[in-house]
């Protein structure tokens, strides 16, 4: 696990006299959490869930966001900021110009690992599909999350079941993926249709768009015949974790009035 490797590395450096006991104690004092008084950072989230803690920026001051970002980069070399207003991003990027921002998805990230790595040549991309154009902001937030984790991401927008030919025309592209995230707010049928034409994991995401917004019952009924739906709640983080070892099944994600999982409280 990631935290175990970190602990072993610190202990090896202490044994090799490359790090003093005092300095090692400082590092381990915040292991596996760091208390900033206004936020308690979960440093072991990656080892438990497969994805580091994200920072939900709505309701936080710019100074709080900057302090959290600084601490997370120091310890993990990674930060994902969601629901980040552009005005706040413009102030934060002065201290972190490498931060990548998605204006439509209102999300930003920086990862030392992602900066250096290249997509795996044999791994298929994660595909994000939306029923309508109004669902795109949610899709772009998911896309940013997946990119932060080092995934290759493709998108297919505005292909709801009201015009089924739009989806079927892209059948080959849909099948040539590892994991599919389906985002729909007007109706819940799209995830079921997609699940019926692929043998990949399909993560269904209801949004706050349209007359059937947050209608969980529709999304819960989208498991194709002969498939077993995962009862756990999913997210783009789950899509990233599934991507290297994709199987079949469909997962329901909580309505998008809430943040993707893993936010810093």
């Amino acid at each position: 696990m990631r935290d175990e490797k970190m602990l072993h590395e610190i202990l090896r450096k202490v044994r090799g006299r490359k790090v003093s006991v005092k300095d090692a104690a400082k590092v381990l004092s915040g292991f596996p959490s760091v208390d900033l008084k206004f936020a308690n950072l979960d440093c072991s989230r990656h080892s438990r869930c497969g994805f580091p803690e994200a920072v939900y920026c709505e309701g936080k001051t710019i100074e709080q966001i900057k302090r959290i970002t600084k601490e997370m980069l120091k310890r993990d070399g990674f930060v994902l900021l969601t629901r980040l207003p552009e005005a706040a991003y413009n102030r934060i990027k002065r201290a972190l110009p490498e931060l990548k921002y998605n204006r439509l998805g209102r999300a930003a990230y920086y990862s030392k690992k992602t900066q250096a790595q290249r997509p795996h040549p044999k791994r298929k991309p994660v595909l994000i599909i939306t029923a309508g154009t109004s669902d795109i902001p949610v899709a772009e937030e998911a896309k940013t999350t997946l990119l932060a984790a080092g995934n290759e991401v493709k998108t297919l927008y505005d292909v709801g079941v009201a015009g089924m030919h739009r989806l079927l025309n892209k059948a080959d592209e849909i099948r040539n993926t590892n994991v599919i995230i389906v985002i729909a707010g007007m109706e819940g049928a799209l995830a079921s249709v997609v699940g019926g034409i692929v043998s990949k994991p399909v993560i269904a995401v209801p949004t706050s768009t349209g007359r059937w917004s947050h209608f969980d019952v529709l999304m819960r009924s989208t498991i194709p015949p002969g498939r077993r739906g995962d009862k756990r709640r999913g997210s783009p983080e789950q899509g990233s974790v599934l991507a290297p070892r994709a199987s079949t099944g469909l997962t329901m994600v909580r309505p998008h009035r809430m943040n993707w999982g893993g936010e810093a409280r």
Side-chain angles (χ1 to χ4, degrees), residues 36 38-39 55 59-69:
L36 301 178
F38 60 86
V55 183
K60 291 182 175 68
T61 67
I62 291 177
E63 290 306 314
Q64 287 173 338
I65 296 171
K66 289 170 68 175
R67 178 83 184 280
I68 293 171
T69 299

Side-chain angles (χ1 to χ4, degrees), residues 2 70 72-79 96 98 109-118 148:
R2 193 177 205 171
K70 181 180 178 180
M72 295 186 78
L73 286 175
K74 182 175 73 175
R75 294 184 174 273
D76 213 21
F78 175 93
V79 66
L96 187 63
E98 301 92 348
Y109 76 93
Y110 174 76
S111 171
K112 290 182 180 178
K113 182 178 179 181
T114 303
Q115 299 291 92
Q117 73 183 15
R118 296 179 179 178

Side-chain angles (χ1 to χ4, degrees), residues 46 49-52 78 80 113-114 117 123-128 142-153 178-181 201 203 234-246 260:
H46 186 276
C49 306
F51 197 91
F78 175 93
L80 172 64
K113 182 178 179 181
T114 303
Q117 73 183 15
R123 184 182 299 176
K124 294 180 180 179
V126 177
L127 177 65
I128 302 175
K143 179 181 176 181
T144 302
T145 303
L146 291 163
L147 289 174
N151 294 281
E152 180 184 355
V153 184
N178 234 13
V179 177
I180 301 171
I181 298 176
I203 301 176
S235 65
E237 289 96 320
Q238 186 180 46
S240 181
V241 172
L242 283 172
R245 49 183 183 277
W260 299 110

Side-chain angles (χ1 to χ4, degrees), residues 26 45 53 71 90 131 139 161 166 168 185 189 201 210 219 239:
K26 287 181 180 179
R45 180 73 59 86
E53 184 175 31
E71 191 65 39
N90 288 332
V161 296
R166 300 175 297 178
L168 297 180
M219 282 301 191

Side-chain angles (χ1 to χ4, degrees), residues 124-166:
K124 294 180 180 179
V126 177
L127 177 65
I128 302 175
I129 301 176
T130 72
T133 303
S134 297
D135 300 313
I136 291 178
V138 180
E140 288 296 313
E141 183 181 335
K143 179 181 176 181
T144 302
T145 303
L146 291 163
L147 289 174
N151 294 281
E152 180 184 355
V153 184
K154 291 189 176 181
T155 57
L156 188 56
Y157 292 159
D158 193 25
V159 291
V161 296
M164 187 69 70
H165 57 285
R166 300 175 297 178

Side-chain angles (χ1 to χ4, degrees), residues 5 17-18 26 28 33 51 62 68 84 101 107 114 129 131 143 161-162 199 208 230 246-247:
K5 290 180 180 179
R17 297 185 178 181
K18 295 180 180 180
K26 287 181 180 179
L28 296 176
S33 65
F51 197 91
I62 291 177
I68 293 171
L84 178 67
Y101 185 61
T114 303
I129 301 176
K143 179 181 176 181
V161 296
S199 58
S208 57
D230 191 334
S247 57

